[in-house]
Amino acid sequence: MRPLFQTLCLCVVLALGRPDEPHLDAKLDRCEGIEFDAITPDEKGITFFFKGDHLWKGFHGPSELLNSSFQEMDSHHHLAHVDAAFRMHQEDHEDHDHIFLFQDDKVFSYYNHTLESGFPKDIEEVFPGIPTHLDAAVECPKGECVTDSVIFFKENKVYHFDIKTKAVKQRNWAHLPNCTAAYRWLERHYCFHGHQFTKFHPVTGSVVGKYPKDTRNYFMRCPKFDHGSDATERERCSHVHLDAITTDDLGKAYAFRGSFYMRLDTHRDGWHAFAIADVWKDVKSDLDAVFSYDDKLYMIKGDQVYIYKSAAHYTLIQGYPKTLKEELGIEGHVDAAFVCGEDPTVHVIQGQKMRDVDLSATPRAVAKESHLPFPKIDAAMCGPDGVKVFVGPEYYQYETPMLLAFSRIRPEPHKISLELLGCDH
């Protein structure tokens, strides 16, 4: 009789739905304020938000049933849930870019939404020392954490799992809210609780800034909410000129305008806007020029040069800022500056003059001067596809700095918002 009774109970649950979950045909509205069960990007950079047997793809759009994307997690049809999730981030690891979904005492590994052979497995088998029935998980690459790691949360206990050695360090972060979901986005780590989130340091758990904040203001588009994504849309699709632009040695692009900067890590993740003061407190706003050289970002504002290490936390080099005269051997207002590849020459644009300075020389001084075909240039950058100079809402492309210097016929203009930043206008 017992197996029959259990079968009847399961049928009733399937027919009526779980008492603590919405009816399975109901669409969940995250703009009403939802406590997410898990959040992770997939290998294409699309962020998935999980709640019960539903999920959302990206920062806007309606909910869908979990089994529409991860069928194997719903073995009892609409009784599925995800406790925690993360995307593996270790480029030399066989599971790089796989997403791991945790359910009770099991872990599922997916790539391109296909379940990997042999999964699901016991959590203990894949992540020894990590408890079952987790609350949250998030990746933490080396440089942000001491080693390539995964951070697991259960109640107020935190487990740092070393991907290579499988060593586990347990900590107690009682000052941080109990995280029902965790998410790494553009080298920042977030703990989600209720319909709010708190940014935390992945090693110490410390919270810096005014938190918690409402998730609907930043991680989704909701009517009647002044969402933080507006800053990205406004800065990305504005026709106002750029102040400065560059790419660093890791291939990340930075575009500066007023008190905001936009950053592009990969095209799949897109451009995102932040306040300059959040990262470069000494500079704050209104840069004149920026360029990257030897794993450092050089920022020029007025007659001052600030040099930061191009790492996760952008540390100002000791002894800076210094004057333009001290650092580059030039004086006067700088409109733009750029370096091409590993060439130690920085091309500094001042009005219609481009002055070349050898960064490997001591002391530094102008080695060559050229006359440009533009009365005013707002910003410039150099990359694998050549030199781009930015004038108002448009940019012009040249194959080399020499062609920029000696060409007297302007190439075809390109729209910054449309062709560089991916807007529709």
Side-chain angles (χ1 to χ4, degrees), residues 59-117:
F59 299 116
H60 59 91
S63 64
E64 304 175 15
L65 287 171
L66 176 64
N67 61 16
S68 65
S69 295
F70 305 101
Q71 183 177 359
E72 296 84 359
M73 297 201 69
D74 199 1
S75 57
H76 290 299
H77 203 53
H78 302 306
L79 295 181
H81 64 280
V82 177
D83 294 328
F86 76 91
R87 180 177 70 186
M88 179 69 76
H89 186 100
Q90 188 181 4
E91 293 186 0
D92 59 352
H93 195 283
E94 62 181 356
D95 291 330
H96 176 64
D97 266 355
H98 290 219
I99 63 173
F100 289 82
L101 306 182
F102 297 80
Q103 184 183 81
D104 300 332
D105 60 352
K106 300 294 183 184
V107 58
F108 298 70
S109 175
Y110 285 89
Y111 186 76
N112 198 26
H113 298 271
T114 300
L115 186 67
E116 292 295 293
S117 177

Side-chain angles (χ1 to χ4, degrees), residues 287-291 298-302 304-305 324 328 334 337:
L287 276 174
D288 293 322
V290 61
F291 64 90
Y298 288 67
M299 295 183 165
I300 300 173
K301 181 176 179 178
Q304 300 290 302
V305 180
L324 277 166
L328 299 178
V334 173

Side-chain angles (χ1 to χ4, degrees), residues 16 45-46 57 86 91 109 115 142 205 214 216 240 246 249 292 299 308 340-341 348 401:
L16 300 179
I46 299 170
K57 298 175 182 178
F86 76 91
E91 293 186 0
S109 175
L115 186 67
K142 184 177 180 180
D214 196 307
R216 292 166 290 185
V240 178
T246 192
D249 292 345
S292 176
M299 295 183 165
Y308 291 86
C340 292
V348 180

Side-chain angles (χ1 to χ4, degrees), residues 119-131:
F119 283 87
K121 296 181 179 180
D122 290 343
I123 294 175
E124 176 67 24
E125 180 182 349
V126 184
F127 301 98
I130 300 303

Side-chain angles (χ1 to χ4, degrees), residues 185-188 190 199 228-236 241-246 248 252-265 270-281 283-287 290 297 299 311-314 421:
W185 189 52
L186 300 181
E187 297 175 354
R188 294 165 169 82
Y190 299 94
K199 185 173 72 173
S229 59
D230 275 349
T232 293
E233 198 70 12
R234 181 186 67 245
E235 296 302 323
R236 190 170 64 91
H241 71 84
L242 295 175
D243 294 335
I245 188 168
T246 192
D248 65 16
K252 297 173 185 175
Y254 305 82
F256 298 83
R257 179 188 285 131
S259 59
F260 284 89
Y261 77 97
M262 290 173 287
R263 179 172 137 181
L264 176 72
D265 283 17
W271 292 88
H272 297 279
F274 304 95
I276 294 173
D278 287 350
V279 179
W280 299 286
K281 296 180 175 59
V283 176
K284 296 181 181 177
S285 64
D286 301 313
L287 276 174
V290 61
L297 282 177
M299 295 183 165
H313 301 293
Y314 305 100
L421 302 178

Side-chain angles (χ1 to χ4, degrees), residues 236-239 393 415-425:
R236 190 170 64 91
C237 300
S238 169
H239 288 246
K415 293 289 184 184
I416 296 173
S417 60
L418 180 66
E419 298 178 66
L420 183 75
L421 302 178
C423 300
D424 57 5
H425 62 282

